[in-house]
Amino acid sequence: MLFILIIYVLLLIRLSIGDQCPSSDYCTCSSDLTIIKCTDHQLTNEILFNINNQLPESTILLNLSSNSLTTIEFLSNLNHLQILDLSYNKIHYIPTDFLSKFPHLTTLYLQNNSLKTIPKTFKKYTNINIDLLNNPFYCTCQSKWFQTHNQLKNIICQNNKPFDENDFCRIKNFLEIYPQQAQMIYENEPFILNCSSNSKHYWTLNDKIYPSTIASSLYSAIIIDHLQIKHSGIWTCHNFNSNRSISLTVLQTSSNHFCPSIRMNTSKGYFHWPRTLINNKIEKKCPFGSAAWLRNSNEYARAWYMCSSSGDWMNLDVSQCAFQSNISRIFDRLSLTETNLLLRIIKYLSKIDKNNLELFDIILLIDLIDEQQVKYKNQDRIMLIYHLTDFILQIKHNFMHFREYRMALTRLRLIIERLLDFTDQPWLYIGKELTAMTMQAPLSLTSCVIPDRSLLTIICEPDDHHQHQSPLMTIQFPSSLNKTNQNSFYYIIFYRQSTLFASDNMQNNDLNPAIYIRPVSRYSSYPIKLTFYGQANQASIGIWYLNQTSWQIKSSICKINEQNNNLISTDCVLFNNNSLSLTYLDDINNQKNLFFNTKYSQLTIYVSSILATICFFISIIFYICFYKIYQIPRRFFHCLINYWLNLGILISLFAFGIQQNQHPFLCEFISICLHFLCLTTILWLTLLSFSIWRKLYLISTDKDYHEKSAVMMVDYDDVSLPIMKLKSKPVIQFYLIAYGLAFIICGANVITSREPHLTNKM
């Protein structure tokens, strides 16, 4: 007896603590929680979504009749449910897996709803009594399986008559042709005509019999690999008492008034748009049915694409189409009710595996956040957007090679940075992939540490005496020099990985921790010190300004002050309301795009330098090929060639070697080369000018001209004319003067002062 009493008490405790009756505003329950009645309470989808988790598992009979439900996909799995009453609602759709949620269901009432069809999965549940009276079913030949189900034989179809295969299946005089619309196609394009019939049939072109490529008793096809003008006309498929025709116009390929054939994979499905004449609008059937907003409409879901007068595709419209992903379709249905949309999305995402989200699911989720951001400008609701952002960053799929994904991430980053303006003081969000806060730094020295832990946190202390193990980053705010100043106020977001800073040249090793910081006080400048931990010597700080689209190494406001195998530290000076984002780049040798970044304003310099260099080398080659025409002394030749050569190299090196570079030794070498080439060019020009002046002086004064003439006679030709030859004089002294003197000057300058040739690491 005592044992039975204990069992009874435990059962009462379980019933009082475990299962509970839903809100009394909507439902009434029996004492043993087996009968739940929620009838005639104007229940909507949203209310059912909210009370869904309150339904006790012990429910045997659930009555939801006489309400305003349009879908039942949110109904919980009830393992003991036997009777479910959904009659007198507005339900128009039943999920395919609906009956599998209730393994012991025996009776289902669905009469007086808006059902036009039911899933084929109902076919295998022959032991369930299903009432489907007074539903506007739309019967087709595909509905033949109704006759195999004992409970569905009496379904009333359109025109108020029961299903009859003879009425809804084309078994009499069946004849179909595809394509069904007139076609305009260019020469040499492939073309296929199909005809299906339940009797013997044949093809004609302009009333002349045309043989089929593929033929059978019920099907035939004409396959033309390369269309010709002669294929234009009326194509007709005939059977014994009917026919179907289409018009085909073959255009010459010399015409260019068309849009090319394209194929695209969108979030709404895969589409193939054929080659089309300009100013034509093409429509396609939606691959996955109607969008959520169109589901209650009788309109047939279509997609459109317009071929403009310029021969370009434009104005793609797939708004009527359903998403190809199941998750995106759920998002679409949730968006029909905008009340607390983001909260509803968070509840749904908490029940699924985040790695099941595909590319288009993430982009749609970011689009919904973007649409809802204007409604979330208070502290509690902003948390929802940050929570969803943190959820997106936890998805580890590599979609960075998709431009649409990178653009969506950029929009998301700008949204969460902009929402900081609407946060109260103080404010803090802690997540796994990002943490954000508004901070008021005191006048004394303040150090903030981000430890390496599962939940990112920012620990700020008035000094840096306390050590935190395994830090990812520290932010140090130095004390103010002017003690009368008020405290500085900052917006700060820390990212575990810089995924949201997406750019076209993004590398996998770029996904390092990143910090966003913006001062919003009234003072002009704010010095801070940022330190990233666990880095190598070849790393460098990357700067992301507000209006830029990639990480930049050049910076006038941040300088590296310490760097070793354990950390890299930089000092930055921020200005009022001027945002700044920083990260570190692991291997700067692979970041070539950051070092050589040509600006359009420098285009004239580069083009003119290249043209000048080309002219120099052309003149050199021209002289080498026709040197006999120019009777100049040998030392003139050497001076001229060396002057050209040094000047050409100098111009090229100046045009392409002065860009900022992260290698200090390369910068030093370039600067020394520029110094050396400038000296040699000037010296060779001086020697050439001196030689020309000396020769002209001797000719004009006639002083020992014949003895010192650079031309001498060596022989006579066949007609007794003298053969002249330039005298050879040593030119080694010119090389010693030009290159030797320049080498001595540059070497002395490097030895005495090496600093001018060095550049800052930034």
Side-chain angles (χ1 to χ4, degrees), residues 497-546:
Q497 291 185 336
S498 58
T499 307
L500 293 184
F501 296 87
S503 60
D504 293 338
N505 48 34
M506 194 171 186
Q507 304 292 333
N508 290 332
N509 59 359
D510 290 344
L511 298 179
N512 296 318
I515 185 77
Y516 166 86
I517 186 167
R518 173 161 57 98
V520 291
S521 300
R522 61 183 178 86
Y523 305 111
S524 59
S525 62
Y526 309 85
I528 60 172
K529 180 180 180 180
L530 304 172
T531 304
F532 294 95
Y533 290 89
Q535 316 316 319
N537 287 329
Q538 68 270 21
S540 181
I541 292 293
I543 313 295
W544 193 295
Y545 296 99
L546 179 62

Coordinates of all heavy atoms in Angstrom, one line a residue, residues 497-546:
Q497 N 37.6 36.6 -36.0 CA 38.2 36.5 -37.3 C 37.6 37.6 -38.2 O 36.5 38.0 -38.0 CB 37.8 35.1 -38.0 CG 38.5 33.9 -37.4 CD 38.3 32.7 -38.2 OE1 37.2 32.6 -38.9 NE2 39.1 31.7 -38.1
S498 N 38.4 38.1 -39.1 CA 38.0 39.3 -39.9 C 37.2 38.9 -41.1 O 37.4 39.4 -42.2 CB 39.3 40.0 -40.3 OG 40.1 39.2 -41.1
T499 N 36.2 38.0 -40.8 CA 35.4 37.5 -41.9 C 34.5 38.6 -42.6 O 34.3 38.7 -43.8 CB 34.4 36.4 -41.4 OG1 35.2 35.4 -40.8 CG2 33.7 35.8 -42.6
L500 N 34.0 39.5 -41.7 CA 33.2 40.6 -42.2 C 33.9 41.6 -43.1 O 33.3 42.4 -43.8 CB 32.5 41.3 -41.1 CG 31.4 40.5 -40.3 CD1 30.8 41.3 -39.2 CD2 30.4 39.8 -41.2
F501 N 35.2 41.6 -43.0 CA 36.0 42.6 -43.8 C 36.4 41.8 -45.1 O 37.6 41.5 -45.3 CB 37.3 43.0 -43.0 CG 37.0 43.8 -41.8 CD1 36.8 43.2 -40.6 CD2 36.9 45.2 -41.8 CE1 36.5 43.9 -39.4 CE2 36.6 45.9 -40.7 CZ 36.4 45.3 -39.5
A502 N 35.4 41.6 -45.9 CA 35.6 40.8 -47.1 C 36.0 41.7 -48.3 O 35.5 42.7 -48.5 CB 34.3 40.1 -47.5
S503 N 37.0 41.2 -49.0 CA 37.5 41.9 -50.2 C 37.8 40.9 -51.3 O 37.9 39.7 -51.1 CB 38.8 42.7 -49.9 OG 39.8 41.8 -49.4
D504 N 37.9 41.4 -52.5 CA 38.1 40.5 -53.7 C 39.5 39.8 -53.6 O 39.6 38.7 -54.2 CB 38.1 41.3 -55.0 CG 36.7 41.9 -55.2 OD1 35.7 41.3 -54.7 OD2 36.6 42.9 -56.0
N505 N 40.5 40.4 -53.0 CA 41.8 39.7 -52.9 C 42.0 39.1 -51.5 O 43.2 38.9 -51.1 CB 42.9 40.8 -53.1 CG 42.7 42.0 -52.3 OD1 42.2 42.0 -51.2 ND2 43.1 43.2 -52.9
M506 N 41.0 38.6 -50.9 CA 41.1 38.1 -49.6 C 41.7 36.7 -49.6 O 41.3 35.9 -50.5 CB 39.7 38.0 -48.9 CG 39.7 37.7 -47.5 SD 38.0 38.0 -46.8 CE 38.4 37.8 -45.1
Q507 N 42.6 36.4 -48.7 CA 43.3 35.1 -48.6 C 42.8 34.4 -47.4 O 42.2 35.0 -46.5 CB 44.8 35.3 -48.5 CG 45.4 36.1 -49.7 CD 45.4 35.3 -51.0 OE1 45.3 34.1 -51.0 NE2 45.3 36.1 -52.1
N508 N 43.0 33.1 -47.4 CA 42.5 32.3 -46.2 C 43.2 32.7 -44.9 O 42.7 32.6 -43.8 CB 42.7 30.8 -46.5 CG 41.7 30.3 -47.5 OD1 40.6 30.8 -47.7 ND2 42.1 29.3 -48.3
N509 N 44.5 33.0 -45.1 CA 45.3 33.4 -43.9 C 45.0 34.8 -43.4 O 45.7 35.3 -42.5 CB 46.8 33.1 -44.1 CG 47.3 34.0 -45.3 OD1 46.6 34.7 -45.9 ND2 48.6 33.9 -45.5
D510 N 44.1 35.5 -44.1 CA 43.8 36.9 -43.7 C 42.8 36.9 -42.6 O 42.5 37.9 -42.0 CB 43.2 37.6 -44.9 CG 44.2 37.9 -45.9 OD1 45.4 37.8 -45.6 OD2 43.8 38.3 -47.1
L511 N 42.2 35.7 -42.3 CA 41.1 35.7 -41.3 C 41.7 35.7 -39.9 O 41.6 34.7 -39.1 CB 40.2 34.5 -41.5 CG 39.5 34.4 -42.9 CD1 38.7 33.2 -43.0 CD2 38.6 35.7 -43.0
N512 N 42.3 36.8 -39.5 CA 42.9 36.9 -38.2 C 42.0 37.8 -37.3 O 41.1 38.5 -37.9 CB 44.3 37.5 -38.3 CG 45.2 36.6 -39.0 OD1 45.2 35.4 -38.7 ND2 46.0 37.1 -39.9
P513 N 42.2 37.9 -36.0 CA 41.4 38.8 -35.2 C 41.5 40.3 -35.7 O 42.5 40.7 -36.2 CB 42.0 38.7 -33.8 CG 42.6 37.3 -33.8 CD 43.1 37.1 -35.2
A514 N 40.3 41.0 -35.6 CA 40.3 42.4 -36.0 C 39.5 43.2 -35.0 O 38.7 42.7 -34.2 CB 39.6 42.5 -37.4
I515 N 39.9 44.5 -34.9 CA 39.3 45.4 -34.0 C 38.7 46.6 -34.7 O 39.3 47.1 -35.7 CB 40.3 45.8 -32.9 CG1 39.7 46.7 -31.8 CG2 41.5 46.6 -33.6 CD1 38.9 45.9 -30.8
Y516 N 37.5 47.0 -34.3 CA 36.9 48.2 -34.9 C 36.8 49.2 -33.7 O 36.2 48.8 -32.6 CB 35.5 48.0 -35.5 CG 34.7 49.2 -35.7 CD1 34.8 49.9 -36.9 CD2 33.8 49.6 -34.8 CE1 34.1 51.1 -37.1 CE2 33.0 50.8 -35.0 CZ 33.2 51.5 -36.2 OH 32.4 52.6 -36.4
I517 N 37.3 50.4 -33.8 CA 37.2 51.4 -32.7 C 36.9 52.7 -33.3 O 37.4 53.1 -34.4 CB 38.5 51.3 -31.9 CG1 38.4 52.2 -30.7 CG2 39.7 51.7 -32.8 CD1 39.6 52.0 -29.7
R518 N 36.1 53.5 -32.6 CA 35.7 54.8 -33.0 C 35.5 55.7 -31.8 O 34.6 55.4 -31.0 CB 34.4 54.8 -33.9 CG 33.9 56.1 -34.3 CD 32.9 56.0 -35.4 NE 31.8 55.1 -35.2 CZ 30.6 55.5 -34.9 NH1 30.3 56.7 -34.7 NH2 29.7 54.6 -34.7
P519 N 36.2 56.8 -31.7 CA 36.0 57.7 -30.6 C 34.8 58.7 -31.0 O 34.7 59.1 -32.1 CB 37.3 58.5 -30.5 CG 37.9 58.4 -31.9 CD 37.4 57.1 -32.5
V520 N 34.0 59.0 -30.0 CA 32.8 59.9 -30.3 C 32.8 61.1 -29.4 O 31.8 61.8 -29.3 CB 31.5 59.1 -30.2 CG1 31.4 58.1 -31.3 CG2 31.4 58.4 -28.8
S521 N 33.9 61.4 -28.7 CA 33.9 62.5 -27.8 C 34.2 63.8 -28.6 O 34.5 63.7 -29.8 CB 34.9 62.3 -26.7 OG 34.6 61.2 -25.9
R522 N 34.2 64.9 -27.9 CA 34.4 66.2 -28.6 C 35.8 66.6 -28.8 O 36.1 67.6 -29.4 CB 33.7 67.3 -27.8 CG 34.2 67.5 -26.4 CD 33.4 68.5 -25.7 NE 33.9 68.7 -24.3 CZ 34.8 69.6 -24.0 NH1 35.5 70.3 -24.9 NH2 35.2 69.7 -22.7
Y523 N 36.8 65.8 -28.3 CA 38.2 66.3 -28.4 C 38.8 65.8 -29.7 O 38.3 64.9 -30.4 CB 39.0 65.7 -27.2 CG 38.4 66.1 -25.9 CD1 37.8 65.1 -25.1 CD2 38.4 67.4 -25.5 CE1 37.2 65.5 -23.9 CE2 37.8 67.8 -24.3 CZ 37.2 66.8 -23.5 OH 36.6 67.1 -22.3
S524 N 39.9 66.4 -30.1 CA 40.4 66.3 -31.5 C 41.1 65.0 -31.8 O 41.0 64.4 -32.8 CB 41.3 67.5 -31.8 OG 42.4 67.5 -30.9
S525 N 41.9 64.5 -30.8 CA 42.7 63.3 -31.1 C 42.8 62.4 -29.9 O 42.7 62.9 -28.7 CB 44.1 63.7 -31.5 OG 44.8 64.4 -30.5
Y526 N 43.0 61.1 -30.1 CA 42.9 60.1 -29.1 C 44.0 59.1 -29.3 O 43.9 58.2 -30.2 CB 41.6 59.4 -29.0 CG 40.4 60.4 -28.9 CD1 39.9 60.9 -30.1 CD2 39.9 60.8 -27.7 CE1 38.8 61.8 -30.0 CE2 38.8 61.7 -27.6 CZ 38.3 62.2 -28.8 OH 37.3 63.0 -28.8
P527 N 45.1 59.1 -28.6 CA 46.2 58.1 -28.8 C 45.8 56.8 -28.1 O 45.4 56.8 -27.0 CB 47.4 58.7 -28.2 CG 46.9 59.7 -27.2 CD 45.5 60.1 -27.6
I528 N 46.0 55.7 -28.8 CA 45.7 54.3 -28.2 C 46.9 53.4 -28.7 O 47.5 53.6 -29.7 CB 44.4 53.8 -28.6 CG1 44.3 53.6 -30.1 CG2 43.2 54.6 -28.0 CD1 43.1 52.9 -30.5
K529 N 47.0 52.3 -27.9 CA 48.0 51.3 -28.2 C 47.3 50.0 -28.4 O 46.6 49.5 -27.5 CB 49.1 51.2 -27.2 CG 50.2 50.2 -27.4 CD 51.2 50.1 -26.3 CE 52.2 49.1 -26.6 NZ 53.3 49.0 -25.5
L530 N 47.5 49.3 -29.6 CA 46.8 48.0 -29.9 C 47.9 47.0 -30.0 O 48.9 47.2 -30.7 CB 46.0 48.1 -31.1 CG 44.9 49.3 -31.1 CD1 44.3 49.4 -32.5 CD2 43.8 49.0 -30.1
T531 N 47.6 45.8 -29.4 CA 48.6 44.7 -29.4 C 47.9 43.4 -29.8 O 46.9 43.0 -29.1 CB 49.3 44.6 -28.1 OG1 50.0 45.8 -27.7 CG2 50.4 43.5 -28.2
F532 N 48.4 42.8 -30.9 CA 47.9 41.4 -31.2 C 48.9 40.4 -30.8 O 50.1 40.6 -31.0 CB 47.7 41.3 -32.7 CG 46.6 42.2 -33.3 CD1 46.9 43.4 -33.8 CD2 45.3 41.7 -33.3 CE1 45.8 44.2 -34.3 CE2 44.3 42.5 -33.8 CZ 44.5 43.8 -34.3
Y533 N 48.5 39.3 -30.2 CA 49.4 38.3 -29.6 C 49.5 37.0 -30.5 O 48.6 36.7 -31.3 CB 49.0 37.9 -28.2 CG 49.1 39.0 -27.2 CD1 48.1 39.9 -27.0 CD2 50.3 39.1 -26.5 CE1 48.3 40.9 -26.1 CE2 50.5 40.2 -25.6 CZ 49.5 41.1 -25.4 OH 49.6 42.1 -24.5
G534 N 50.6 36.4 -30.4 CA 50.9 35.1 -31.1 C 51.2 35.3 -32.6 O 50.8 34.5 -33.4
Q535 N 52.1 36.3 -32.9 CA 52.4 36.6 -34.3 C 53.9 36.3 -34.6 O 54.7 36.1 -33.7 CB 52.1 38.1 -34.6 CG 50.8 38.6 -34.1 CD 49.6 37.6 -34.4 OE1 49.6 37.0 -35.4 NE2 48.8 37.4 -33.4
A536 N 54.2 36.3 -35.9 CA 55.6 36.0 -36.3 C 56.2 37.4 -36.8 O 55.5 38.4 -36.9 CB 55.6 35.0 -37.5
N537 N 57.5 37.3 -37.0 CA 58.2 38.5 -37.3 C 57.8 39.1 -38.7 O 58.0 40.3 -38.9 CB 59.7 38.3 -37.3 CG 60.3 38.1 -35.9 OD1 59.7 38.7 -35.0 ND2 61.3 37.3 -35.7
Q538 N 57.3 38.3 -39.6 CA 57.0 38.8 -40.9 C 55.6 39.3 -41.0 O 55.2 39.7 -42.1 CB 57.2 37.6 -42.0 CG 56.1 36.5 -41.8 CD 56.6 35.4 -40.9 OE1 57.5 35.6 -40.1 NE2 56.0 34.2 -41.1
A539 N 54.9 39.4 -39.9 CA 53.5 39.9 -39.9 C 53.6 41.5 -39.9 O 54.6 42.1 -39.6 CB 52.7 39.5 -38.7
S540 N 52.4 42.0 -40.3 CA 52.3 43.5 -40.4 C 50.9 43.9 -40.0 O 50.0 43.1 -40.2 CB 52.8 44.0 -41.7 OG 52.7 45.4 -41.7
I541 N 50.8 45.1 -39.6 CA 49.4 45.6 -39.3 C 48.7 46.0 -40.5 O 49.3 46.7 -41.4 CB 49.6 46.9 -38.3 CG1 50.1 46.4 -37.0 CG2 48.2 47.5 -38.1 CD1 49.1 45.5 -36.2
G542 N 47.4 45.6 -40.6 CA 46.6 46.0 -41.8 C 45.5 47.0 -41.3 O 44.9 46.9 -40.2
I543 N 45.3 48.1 -42.0 CA 44.4 49.2 -41.7 C 43.3 49.1 -42.7 O 43.5 49.0 -43.9 CB 45.1 50.5 -41.8 CG1 46.5 50.5 -41.0 CG2 44.2 51.6 -41.2 CD1 46.4 50.3 -39.6
W544 N 42.0 49.3 -42.2 CA 40.8 49.3 -43.0 C 40.1 50.6 -42.7 O 39.4 50.7 -41.7 CB 39.9 48.1 -42.7 CG 38.8 47.9 -43.8 CD1 37.8 48.8 -44.0 CD2 38.7 46.8 -44.7 NE1 37.0 48.3 -45.0 CE2 37.5 47.1 -45.4 CE3 39.4 45.7 -44.9 CZ2 37.0 46.2 -46.4 CZ3 38.9 44.8 -45.9 CH2 37.8 45.1 -46.6
Y545 N 40.2 51.6 -43.6 CA 39.5 52.8 -43.4 C 38.1 52.7 -43.8 O 37.7 51.8 -44.5 CB 40.2 54.0 -44.2 CG 41.6 54.2 -43.7 CD1 42.7 53.7 -44.4 CD2 41.9 55.0 -42.6 CE1 44.0 53.9 -44.0 CE2 43.1 55.2 -42.2 CZ 44.2 54.7 -42.8 OH 45.5 55.0 -42.4
L546 N 37.3 53.7 -43.5 CA 35.9 53.7 -43.7 C 35.5 53.5 -45.1 O 34.6 52.7 -45.5 CB 35.2 55.0 -43.1 CG 33.7 55.1 -43.2 CD1 33.0 53.9 -42.5 CD2 33.2 56.4 -42.7

